[in-house]
């Protein structure tokens, strides 16, 4: 080779090798990753020679301007709940885009109609967060019922020393059954995997009845309900209408999908029907609960308390938010899936979905877009 390094001076075999290498490089699929997924999962992506990774470099939510700048010509993109996938982004990506993979079980941030019209595949991460969300749902029920938020706040503000003990101070309704209170009815708005996992965790508390309300168009599953009744040694597992669910539930868990059909399904009308000692838990989507109505219910004592992992309009939930002002409302910042094990599994599934779609393999978890158009 001459000092100039010109290809013309190379031998014929060497020229062919360089040509093949150049061709292979040009065939690599550009993949935009909107958040570093950690060493366990990034190594899965980096091990694929077919992929040319472009990764958001900061440990913060991906900036829209960066995503718009880098999405052009991409074959795939891995997004978070904070990344809006709409016509603007898809237009910028261009016809090369094959797959949008989100590291979440929800996909309200993705315009499914636009994706379907363009023939895109959409991956998501169901199942892997079931146990983590069920764990947190029970935690929220206990904290809301037993004034956990008020108690923690009292200690953290240094007021324990001046707190005057009284026989019924900081008391709340007991989740478990007792000799004098032998019946507990647990309600579920939505009765999918997470709800049933939550039910299983509540059985040792001595609950006696499980009530649930789901999509009105879906028929009752009597065989499954009978099997759950027998498995958990309950008096009954019953599908009921939403009015009965509100009236009878000692704790009502909101675990239904988001979307227009369930928007503000927990409203003033429903909350007024609940027991004064009842607890509301929402670990699904903030849009299912009317925040103003819930704040009013807590303030006026229609229900005892609430435990929320999600709030409509999050993360814009400030100290002036009506629910933050309510001492019997325990709010955590959307952390239901936030266990080390679950987040690694979610990130792994998102990576596997993307790789499967690009390489023509089966995606482990693909959103069904057949009925979107």
């Amino acid at each position: 080779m001459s000092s100039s390094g010109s290809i013309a001076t190379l031998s014929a075999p060497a020229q062919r090798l360089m040509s093949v290498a150049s061709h292979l490089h040009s065939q690599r699929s550009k993949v935009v990753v909107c958040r570093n997924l950690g060493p366990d999962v990034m190594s899965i992506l980096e091990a694929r020679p077919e992929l040319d990774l472009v990764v958001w470099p900061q440990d913060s939510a991906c900036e829209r301007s960066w995503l718009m700048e880098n999405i052009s010509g991409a074959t795939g993109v891995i997004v978070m709940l904070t990344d809006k996938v709409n016509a603007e982004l898809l237009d910028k990506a261009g016809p090369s885009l094959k797959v949008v993979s989100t590291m979440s079980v929800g996909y309200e941030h993705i315009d499914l109609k636009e994706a379907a019209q363009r023939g895109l595949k959409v991956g998501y991460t169901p199942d892997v967060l079931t146990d983590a969300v069920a764990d947190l749902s029970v935690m929220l029920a206990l904290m809301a019922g037993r004034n956990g938020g008020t108690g923690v706040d009292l200690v953290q503000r240094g007021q324990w020393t001046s707190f005057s003990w009284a026989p019924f101070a900081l008391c709340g309704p007991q989740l478990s059954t007792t000799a004098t209170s032998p019946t507990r009815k647990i309600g579920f708005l939505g009765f999918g995997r997470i709800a049933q996992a939550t039910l299983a965790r509540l059985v040792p508390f001595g609950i006696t009845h499980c009530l649930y309300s789901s999509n009105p168009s879906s028929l009752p599953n009597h065989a499954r309900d009978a099997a759950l009744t027998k498995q958990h040694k309950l008096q009954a597992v019953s599908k009921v209408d939403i009015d009965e669910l509100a009236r009878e539930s000692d704790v009502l868990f909101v675990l239904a999908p988001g979307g227009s059909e369930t928007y503000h399904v927990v409203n003033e009308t429903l909350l007024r029907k609940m027991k004064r000692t009842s607890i509301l838990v929402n670990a699904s989507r903030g849009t299912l609960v009317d925040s103003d109505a819930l704040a009013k219910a807590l303030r006026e004592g229609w229900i005892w308390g609430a435990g929320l992992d999600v709030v409509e309009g999050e993360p814009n939930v400030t100290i002036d938010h009506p629910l933050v002002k309510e001492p019997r409302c325990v709010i955590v910042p959307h952390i239901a899936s936030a266990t080390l094990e679950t987040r690694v599994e979610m990130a792994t599934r998102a990576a596997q979905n993307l790789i499967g779609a690009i390489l023509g393999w089966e995606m482990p978890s693909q959103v069904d877009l057949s009925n979107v158009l």
Side-chain angles (χ1 to χ4, degrees):
M1 181 183 293
S2 69
S3 60
S4 66
S6 169
I7 291 180
T9 63
L10 294 175
S11 66
Q15 289 186 42
R16 285 196 294 271
L17 285 173
M18 288 193 67
S19 177
V20 169
S22 176
H23 175 74
L24 289 174
H25 179 78
S26 67
Q27 292 301 303
R28 295 175 71 194
S29 297
K30 179 181 177 181
V31 168
V32 177
V33 184
C34 291
R35 205 67 179 265
N36 189 300
L37 301 178
D40 292 337
V41 181
M42 291 306 298
S43 61
I44 296 174
L45 295 170
E46 291 164 353
R48 303 303 316 187
E50 306 91 343
L51 305 184
D52 181 18
L53 301 179
V54 180
V55 184
W56 166 244
Q58 306 298 324
D59 187 21
S60 59
C62 178
E63 293 179 0
R64 183 70 173 183
S65 58
W66 180 91
L67 180 55
M68 292 293 291
E69 180 181 342
N70 286 279
I71 195 67
S72 179
T75 304
V77 59
I78 296 179
V79 299
M80 309 292 124
L81 274 172
T82 51
D83 303 308
K84 192 174 184 63
V85 180
N86 54 12
E88 177 192 38
L89 183 70
L90 298 178
D91 285 342
K92 188 70 172 178
S96 60
L97 192 67
K98 292 182 178 179
V99 58
V100 176
S101 179
T102 181
M103 185 183 151
S104 61
V105 66
Y107 38 80
E108 293 90 349
H109 55 301
I110 301 173
D111 189 326
L112 297 183
K113 186 175 181 180
E114 286 286 344
Q117 287 176 339
R118 298 163 194 256
L120 302 181
K121 293 181 178 180
V122 176
Y124 68 133
T125 63
D127 305 330
V128 295
L129 47 66
T130 296
D131 290 326
V133 178
D135 290 349
L136 189 99
S137 296
V138 176
M139 183 194 85
L140 288 172
L142 288 166
M143 289 191 70
R146 297 295 297 274
N147 297 299
T150 301
V152 169
D153 182 65
L154 184 147
V155 174
Q156 291 184 339
R157 289 195 290 128
Q159 296 183 350
W160 194 359
T161 56
S162 59
F163 176 70
S164 179
W165 184 90
F168 294 98
L170 294 180
C171 287
Q174 187 164 316
L175 179 58
S176 57
T177 54
T178 69
T180 57
S181 181
T183 301
R184 287 292 180 276
K185 296 182 178 181
I186 303 299
F188 294 96
L189 184 56
F191 199 55
R193 291 179 297 267
I194 296 174
Q196 291 175 46
T198 304
L199 170 62
R201 284 156 172 76
L202 292 168
V203 170
F205 288 90
I207 66 169
T208 53
H209 297 74
C210 169
L211 312 174
Y212 69 91
S213 181
S214 56
N215 192 322
S217 63
S218 64
L219 297 174
N221 190 332
H222 297 299
R224 180 204 60 195
D225 295 351
L228 288 172
T229 300
K230 182 178 180 180
Q231 175 187 350
H232 297 312
K233 299 178 181 179
L234 303 175
Q235 293 184 27
V237 174
S238 309
K239 182 177 183 178
V240 299
D241 62 46
I242 196 167
D243 290 340
E244 183 176 350
L245 186 74
R247 288 195 308 269
E248 297 295 327
S249 297
D250 293 304
V251 182
L252 176 53
F253 293 89
V254 181
L255 292 167
S260 59
E261 294 183 357
T262 55
Y263 179 75
H264 284 189
V265 64
V266 178
N267 53 24
E268 182 169 333
T269 301
L270 183 144
L271 290 164
R272 284 187 178 276
K273 294 174 181 176
M274 294 178 67
K275 300 177 183 179
R276 294 180 68 85
T277 55
S278 64
I279 304 296
L280 179 78
V281 173
N282 185 9
S284 55
R285 289 290 179 266
T287 54
L288 276 74
V289 177
D290 182 336
S291 294
D292 291 331
L294 178 57
K296 184 177 181 181
L298 291 165
R299 187 167 59 251
E300 297 184 4
W302 309 348
I303 66 173
W304 183 270
L308 309 176
D309 181 54
V310 290
V311 179
E312 185 175 12
E314 63 181 64
N316 299 315
V317 179
T318 67
I319 58 173
D320 295 322
H321 192 283
L323 288 173
V324 175
K325 293 180 178 180
E326 292 303 319
R328 287 186 179 174
C329 186
V330 177
I331 304 175
V332 293
H334 204 153
I335 59 170
S337 66
T339 69
L340 297 173
E341 297 84 353
T342 297
R343 289 290 172 84
V344 169
E345 287 190 60
M346 291 173 67
T348 300
R349 181 68 59 85
Q352 291 171 338
N353 284 333
L354 177 128
I355 292 170
I358 290 177
L359 299 185
W361 302 342
E362 182 177 354
M363 295 170 63
S365 301
Q366 182 177 355
V367 178
D368 183 5
L369 301 180
S370 59
N371 296 319
V372 172
L373 296 178

